Amino acid sequence: MIDLPTSHVIILAMVLFILGLIGLLARRNILFMLMSVEIMLNAAGLVFVVGSSKWAEADGQLMFIFILSMAAAEVAVGLALILQFYKKFNTLDADAASNLKG
Amino acid sequence: MIALFYIAAFVAVISTLMAITRFNAVHALIYLVVSLLSVAVIFYLLGAPFAAALEVIIYAGAIMVLLIFMVMMLHLGETSIQQEKQWLNWSVWLGPGFLSLILLVEMSYLLVVSNEPGEGLTVVDATQVGIALYGPYIITVELAAILLLAGIVGAYYLGQEKRRVLHRFLNQEDND
């Protein structure tokens, strides 16, 4: 059995994070922006899990569980915001809400 | 062992790339589910079976269902039947289906042949995670519970319909 290099897993997590960041910056649909945030959170969780198995400690997986619960709460609030956004502007384009009320 | 990791990593990168470049939200969500499943396979390879199960159940299950449900809610109207016909076209699920078939073959190979991680890595199973979770990390569990409660209350408050207050002489929106 060959040793699985930890650095390659971290490179994979970095690639996934950058893909999520590109999605967040390039897409203007607010639903896709939320999905990109999910991708980035998932990549961060991957780094925690690989750290957990490298040092044989449970701490990394615990951090992954907390990331998971944070992502769940974030998605619930984010989707409620998207619903209100769609009702108000009748579009999902994030640029439609570029002006603040004032 | 190491080839399995590279195949799963390849599937993860391809499906994430497809997810952020689709124009249709449902197609993107299907690819995103495949991406999360491949990350779950990588967790299993890294010796974290509990995290892999949580990834499938909560991320690919609950959170993605919530997102798909929201897409369905936003597309109400005359065009929805036409759109669903388009979504159920076979060419739509061919790509994600092929990628998840790769993951299925990989997973069944892992389950049948070997379930030991690479040499530098150790399996951290659900028992150790549970002991640490309810031992030294109990305060963090409580904080996560408070966060989830805040999420529920926030989603309930933000998701409710705007009330319309009808006075006798004027019809104005209640601005709260």
Side-chain angles (χ1 to χ4, degrees):
Chain A
M1 202 174 281
I2 313 156
D3 188 9
L4 186 61
T6 313
S7 58
H8 290 193
V9 186
I10 291 176
I11 288 170
L12 170 70
M14 203 171 73
V15 168
L16 289 179
F17 190 89
I18 289 171
L19 281 175
L21 191 64
I22 289 170
L24 182 67
L25 293 174
R27 301 302 295 261
R28 286 296 89 193
N29 189 324
I30 197 165
L31 201 63
F32 280 91
M33 291 166 80
L34 193 64
M35 279 164 53
S36 303
V37 171
E38 292 300 314
I39 294 171
M40 288 159 73
L41 285 174
N42 197 40
L46 181 58
V47 177
F48 273 117
V49 170
V50 73
S52 161
S53 57
K54 183 166 172 62
W55 283 284
E57 294 283 344
D59 302 353
Q61 289 194 37
L62 291 174
M63 285 303 146
F64 174 70
I65 292 172
F66 296 133
I67 287 177
L68 210 63
S69 55
M70 196 272 287
E74 176 239 326
V75 152
V77 175
L79 286 177
L81 278 173
I82 289 177
L83 196 64
Q84 291 297 322
F85 185 90
Y86 189 72
K87 272 184 193 159
K88 193 168 172 60
F89 297 103
N90 235 334
T91 176
L92 284 177
D93 187 7
D95 287 338
S98 56
N99 286 327
L100 291 174
K101 187 180 177 185
Chain B
M1 179 66 211
I2 196 154
L4 290 178
F5 166 72
Y6 287 122
I7 295 168
F10 178 74
V11 172
V13 171
I14 291 291
S15 55
T16 308
L17 201 62
M18 294 295 273
I20 63 169
T21 52
R22 295 303 92 187
F23 291 116
N24 194 324
V26 171
H27 300 174
L29 282 170
I30 293 171
Y31 275 110
L32 192 53
V33 168
V34 176
S35 164
L36 295 173
L37 289 178
S38 58
V39 173
V41 171
I42 291 171
F43 283 173
Y44 193 80
L45 280 170
L46 289 173
F50 187 57
L54 279 182
E55 174 93 8
V56 173
I57 294 167
I58 298 179
Y59 251 120
I63 293 178
M64 286 303 119
V65 163
L66 213 61
L67 277 167
I68 289 173
F69 202 66
M70 178 55 64
V71 173
M72 301 284 177
M73 273 177 83
L74 293 180
H75 282 84
L76 290 177
E78 292 282 317
T79 53
S80 66
I81 296 172
Q82 193 79 31
Q83 229 158 10
E84 283 193 34
K85 238 177 220 172
Q86 197 191 338
W87 289 341
L88 295 177
N89 194 357
W90 61 272
S91 63
V92 168
W93 51 261
L94 203 62
F98 178 67
L99 290 176
S100 41
L101 189 70
I102 295 175
L103 291 176
L104 178 67
V105 168
E106 203 170 305
M107 193 75 206
S108 38
Y109 175 79
L110 267 177
L111 287 175
V112 171
V113 176
S114 74
N115 50 2
E116 287 179 11
E119 272 178 17
L121 306 169
T122 327
V123 175
V124 180
D125 60 355
T127 317
Q128 285 167 270
V129 175
I131 288 170
L133 192 62
Y134 289 101
Y137 279 91
I138 186 70
I139 186 75
T140 335
V141 174
E142 286 164 3
L143 285 173
I146 293 171
L147 177 72
L148 285 172
L149 180 68
I152 292 169
V153 173
Y156 174 74
Y157 176 71
L158 289 170
Q160 64 189 349
E161 297 276 332
K162 206 171 204 178
R163 289 194 306 275
R164 284 180 179 277
V165 178
L166 256 67
H167 285 271
R168 265 178 299 177
F169 303 117
L170 69 163
N171 180 6
Q172 68 171 14
E173 285 189 355
D174 180 21
N175 42 359
D176 51 354

